[in-house]
Amino acid sequence: MCRDANAAPVFMTLSKALEEGHETWTAKIDMFAKVRLFHDSEATPRFFEITNVLRAGYFEGSKPIQPITKEKDSLQGIEMNLKNYSSEEPNAMKYVKRLWERSAYLAQRGFDLDWHVNMLEALRPLLSHWSAELCQIAAHVETLIKMMKSGRGEVIEHALDDLRTVRQSLLSLQSRLHSVEDSEQPAAQDGLERIRDA
């Protein structure tokens, strides 16, 4: 699927998408997959939007693959998101997730390892907090909305079927919010009201 000049979805084959290309890659493919966030998780599988980037290259003798398209700088993309999520329309949870992503990326590559491991540990309580769970449910709903806007019957059916998973997530979070500490009661009440509104 790609978008036309009016931002309407246009469906095409992979070969056609490769002919048209992308601004910086050979092709960028956004798709939906129903999976668990972590393979060892007990969580109910749900839909996630997954982006795949295809790059092209060729072999020349015994040399490594010679790229035709430039490699996208992942770290530059993360930094751009950090700037966007802290500017005119801030999004605190997406900002925290990008901080985690940046430290994970750099720690895996051995850059300032102690600092980045400490950052990952410092972010853990935020990412396991009930407010992060509420944001994750919101992201799930956003994905389902994108699926419904696709205009494709089978994709819409999958999205509608996944509404049960959203409901289960909301009920689980609602139960969790009833047992928060006293210091968090006002915020928890606000969260409960948002769930009731849904």
Side-chain angles (χ1 to χ4, degrees), residues 4-5 9 31 35 59 63 72 78 89 117 131 137 151 153-154 187:
D4 66 16
M31 63 185 80
V35 296
F59 289 103
K63 294 180 184 177
K72 177 80 172 164
I78 294 168
E89 294 184 32
V117 168
S131 59
I137 293 169
E154 62 197 45

Side-chain angles (χ1 to χ4, degrees), residues 12-21 26-27 29 54:
M12 63 179 60
T13 64
L14 177 59
S15 59
K16 179 72 174 154
L18 291 173
E19 282 178 33
E20 295 216 359
T26 302
I29 303 171
L54 301 180

Side-chain angles (χ1 to χ4, degrees), residues 3 54 59 96 146 191:
R3 303 247 174 225
L54 301 180
F59 289 103
V96 167
K146 285 181 182 177

Side-chain angles (χ1 to χ4, degrees), residues 42-101:
E42 296 291 323
T44 304
R46 72 170 189 82
F47 278 101
F48 290 86
E49 186 175 18
I50 299 172
T51 297
N52 284 284
V53 173
L54 301 180
R55 297 178 58 228
Y58 61 93
F59 289 103
E60 186 178 303
S62 61
K63 294 180 184 177
I65 294 175
Q66 304 298 306
I68 295 172
T69 51
K70 293 180 181 176
E71 184 171 356
K72 177 80 172 164
D73 183 350
S74 299
L75 196 55
Q76 185 180 20
I78 294 168
E79 295 293 341
M80 182 184 71
N81 284 328
L82 283 168
K83 184 178 178 183
N84 290 341
Y85 295 142
S86 63
S87 59
E88 293 175 17
E89 294 184 32
N91 187 322
M93 192 51 64
K94 286 188 176 185
Y95 185 84
V96 167
K97 287 165 69 175
R98 292 310 177 275
L99 284 175
W100 185 91
E101 191 177 357

